[in-house]
Amino acid sequence: MRLLLTGSSGWLGRFLAPRLRAEGHVVIGLDVARGADTDVIGSVADRALVERTFGEQGIEAVIHAGALHKPDIVRYPESAFWQVNVEGTRNLLEAAVAAGHDRFLFTSTTSLMITAAIRAGKAGGAAEAAWLDEDFGPLQPRNIYGVTKVEAERLCRQVHEESGLAVAVLRTGRFFPEDDDTHSVPSGPNIKANEFLNRRLTVEDAAEAHVVALEKIRALGFGTFILSAPPPFVREECVELLHDAPAVIARHFPEAPELYARLRWTLPASIDRVYDPSRAERLMGFRCRTDFAAVLDALARGRELPFAHDPAYVSPKEPIEQRG
């Protein structure tokens, strides 16, 4: 199949393009930045470019992974988010319908599910951690990134209902390699390791989920799926997770406190949210391979951590001076 992959020069794209080719697909990459897997330089907001690419490249399906993200909020005006994340998605959906496609993948984010109240957590008066599945709502995203992703998801559903185009909306948890842009303590690797308890997956698992969704969504018609490492917790632990997360973690992983102590790492004192990715496993047969147990196993064996960490990473779309 000839696939258009947007965001092909980005962090996900550089893992996803080779994985798709390994499945026998021809991948046509589109990105505003040059990259090894990018064939067309330009923006999805450029409708003429999108239509020309479809015609010249014989595109048969779309994986729309390109977007402006949360770190871009300090770099770009809100209008750019509407142009890229919303109008760009509209351009691709309408081109796919016009071309008679039977499937479309949209890379969304779990970030759009986080309200100001959830983010405030215990300090904001919450009684328990939020257990987040695809039925959670109403969606009240706290920034322009989330707002435009919600609108793009709405367009995906609308086009599916009007045209019958099969659409998979993949709400990915965190898989970026750089340091957190709002927290510097604990260390980057420590934060990432902790996040495998409730909100992170590897970029390799994110790429694999797209490969699976490309195969499965045609039969499903439409689906929204959270992608995150499977949490070890159950809903009944949400009160304790918010108020004494280390006790809950130690109950599931008795070895964790000692392994963390060796590195002078800290377990999260409070967990304010848990993403539930069970629908993806139930309906698509997809489950992340790397979870918190895999992180602890690497620590116990003295092996390399099973996730990427690159504090110097900057999106390739940014000026060279910012990328070092």
Side-chain angles (χ1 to χ4, degrees), residues 172-289:
T172 64
R174 291 183 161 199
F175 59 83
F176 56 78
E178 65 266 37
D179 283 328
D180 189 291
D181 62 350
T182 56
H183 300 285
S184 58
V185 178
S187 68
N190 189 168
I191 289 177
K192 286 182 173 64
N194 290 351
E195 289 175 343
F196 276 91
L197 287 162
N198 66 316
R199 62 183 300 191
R200 179 168 281 273
L201 72 165
T202 65
V203 66
E204 293 87 353
D205 277 333
E208 188 64 26
H210 284 70
V211 174
V212 172
L214 184 67
E215 175 188 351
K216 299 291 187 180
I217 196 57
R218 185 179 178 188
L220 294 172
F222 183 92
T224 299
F225 302 96
I226 288 173
L227 302 180
S228 188
F233 313 120
V234 294
R235 287 176 182 261
E236 290 72 21
E237 293 174 308
C238 282
V239 172
E240 194 176 3
L241 280 171
L242 187 68
H243 297 281
D244 189 4
V248 186
I249 296 166
R251 189 159 62 238
H252 289 274
F253 303 101
E255 71 278 26
E258 181 180 348
L259 290 172
Y260 265 49
R262 293 178 190 175
L263 295 177
R264 296 185 178 179
W265 280 10
T266 58
L267 291 166
S270 175
I271 290 177
D272 60 8
R273 75 201 72 170
V274 177
Y275 294 118
D276 179 358
S278 60
R279 179 184 291 181
E281 183 171 4
R282 187 170 66 253
L283 297 185
M284 296 197 299
F286 173 77
R287 180 184 176 93
C288 289
R289 294 183 62 183

Side-chain angles (χ1 to χ4, degrees), residues 8-317:
S8 51
S9 297
W11 180 243
L12 176 59
R14 70 181 63 178
F15 288 86
L16 181 51
R19 183 66 189 86
L20 291 166
R21 292 193 183 102
E23 291 294 306
H25 299 295
V26 176
V27 180
I28 309 300
L30 186 156
D31 202 298
V32 295
R34 298 187 183 278
D37 299 298
T38 296
D39 306 278
V40 180
I41 304 297
S43 172
V44 293
D46 185 341
R47 187 180 185 90
L49 175 68
V50 169
E51 292 176 348
R52 185 165 64 250
T53 301
F54 270 66
E56 293 177 352
Q57 300 291 344
I59 302 302
E60 298 174 278
V62 176
I63 300 179
H64 181 25
L68 289 180
H69 298 278
K70 179 176 176 286
D72 294 316
I73 292 174
V74 299
R75 304 169 184 153
Y76 296 89
E78 290 192 356
S79 59
F81 280 81
W82 284 101
Q83 291 165 4
V84 173
N85 292 358
V86 180
E87 294 308 314
T89 302
R90 188 195 308 274
N91 290 341
L92 292 163
L93 285 164
E94 291 180 353
V97 171
H101 289 183
D102 63 0
R103 70 196 80 177
F104 185 103
L105 269 58
F106 175 62
T107 308
S108 189
T109 173
T110 53
S111 178
L112 60 77
M113 305 171 69
I114 302 306
T115 64
I118 291 175
R119 187 174 178 83
K122 185 167 56 175
E128 61 183 22
W131 189 273
L132 301 172
D133 61 19
E134 295 83 355
D135 296 324
F136 171 80
L139 298 177
Q140 298 173 321
R142 66 192 187 281
N143 55 42
I144 190 62
Y145 173 49
V147 168
T148 53
K149 281 293 191 175
V150 168
E151 179 61 15
E153 284 194 8
R154 188 195 66 77
L155 286 174
C156 286
R157 180 175 288 277
Q158 177 183 330
V159 169
H160 162 71
E161 292 174 349
E162 292 176 352
S163 70
L165 176 66
V167 180
V169 174
L170 304 178
R171 291 181 182 170
T172 64
R174 291 183 161 199
F175 59 83
F176 56 78
E178 65 266 37
D179 283 328
D180 189 291
D181 62 350
T182 56
H183 300 285
S184 58
V185 178
S187 68
N190 189 168
I191 289 177
K192 286 182 173 64
N194 290 351
E195 289 175 343
F196 276 91
L197 287 162
N198 66 316
R199 62 183 300 191
R200 179 168 281 273
L201 72 165
T202 65
V203 66
E204 293 87 353
D205 277 333
E208 188 64 26
H210 284 70
V211 174
V212 172
L214 184 67
E215 175 188 351
K216 299 291 187 180
I217 196 57
R218 185 179 178 188
L220 294 172
F222 183 92
T224 299
F225 302 96
I226 288 173
L227 302 180
S228 188
F233 313 120
V234 294
R235 287 176 182 261
E236 290 72 21
E237 293 174 308
C238 282
V239 172
E240 194 176 3
L241 280 171
L242 187 68
H243 297 281
D244 189 4
V248 186
I249 296 166
R251 189 159 62 238
H252 289 274
F253 303 101
E255 71 278 26
E258 181 180 348
L259 290 172
Y260 265 49
R262 293 178 190 175
L263 295 177
R264 296 185 178 179
W265 280 10
T266 58
L267 291 166
S270 175
I271 290 177
D272 60 8
R273 75 201 72 170
V274 177
Y275 294 118
D276 179 358
S278 60
R279 179 184 291 181
E281 183 171 4
R282 187 170 66 253
L283 297 185
M284 296 197 299
F286 173 77
R287 180 184 176 93
C288 289
R289 294 183 62 183
T290 301
D291 56 12
F292 187 69
V295 173
L296 293 182
D297 183 67
L299 294 180
R301 297 172 183 269
R303 294 179 176 173
E304 184 178 354
L305 290 168
F307 56 84
H309 176 66
D310 180 4
Y313 178 83
V314 178
S315 169
K317 73 180 185 304

